[in-house]
Amino acid sequence: MWWSRWRCFPNTELPESYAGKYDDLHKESLRQARRLLARVGKRLRATGYKKVETMVKTGYAKTLLVDQAAAWGADLIVMGSHGRKGVNRVLLGSVSESVARHASCSVQVVRRAAE
């Protein structure tokens, strides 16, 4: 029997120091993330996936993704990449690269379409 379990959550990383100053922004970001995941979950269910779970978490994305995947016993992490290069990549870092290096399971990075 084939089935797949999907757990999806967008990067809603907001430094703790900003939460007090920008509480409304943070709350709106979480609301938007939940709405996005509700739509994604609905689309996955419509395509035949038996079990779809969504969640929104805040924190340091690089660590959070690896830790959650380990806790779920994930076989595969599929994630997107902005495809940043050069100085932007150095300054902003690469969540997908860090996850690929530290996850205990396979990681599939999907590149952003060329504009």
Side-chain angles (χ1 to χ4, degrees):
M1 179 169 109
W2 169 256
W3 67 277
S4 181
R5 180 173 63 185
W6 286 76
R7 294 191 183 184
C8 309
F9 55 99
N11 180 4
T12 57
E13 186 175 315
L14 187 68
E16 293 290 328
S17 61
Y18 287 94
K21 296 177 188 175
Y22 302 104
D23 194 44
D24 291 339
L25 175 64
H26 185 245
K27 287 178 184 176
E28 180 57 25
S29 172
L30 294 175
R31 276 192 291 273
Q32 288 180 11
R34 287 184 184 100
R35 282 193 299 260
L36 170 68
L37 288 181
R39 288 193 312 266
V40 169
K42 186 176 180 178
R43 288 180 72 182
L44 288 170
R45 286 181 200 94
T47 61
Y49 289 96
K50 303 284 187 214
K51 184 173 183 180
V52 177
E53 297 175 35
T54 62
M55 69 175 64
V56 175
K57 294 199 176 240
T58 59
Y60 191 58
K62 294 174 183 181
T63 305
L64 184 63
L65 290 165
V66 170
D67 292 347
Q68 287 295 308
W72 300 331
D75 297 317
L76 175 67
I77 299 170
V78 179
M79 59 190 305
S81 172
H82 291 288
R84 291 186 181 102
K85 296 180 180 169
V87 174
N88 282 338
R89 183 172 182 172
V90 171
L91 294 175
L92 298 173
S94 173
V95 173
S96 57
E97 182 178 350
S98 180
V99 170
R101 289 179 186 270
H102 296 101
S104 58
C105 62
S106 297
V107 178
Q108 173 70 47
V109 179
V110 180
R111 292 185 182 171
R112 184 179 197 173
E115 295 179 4

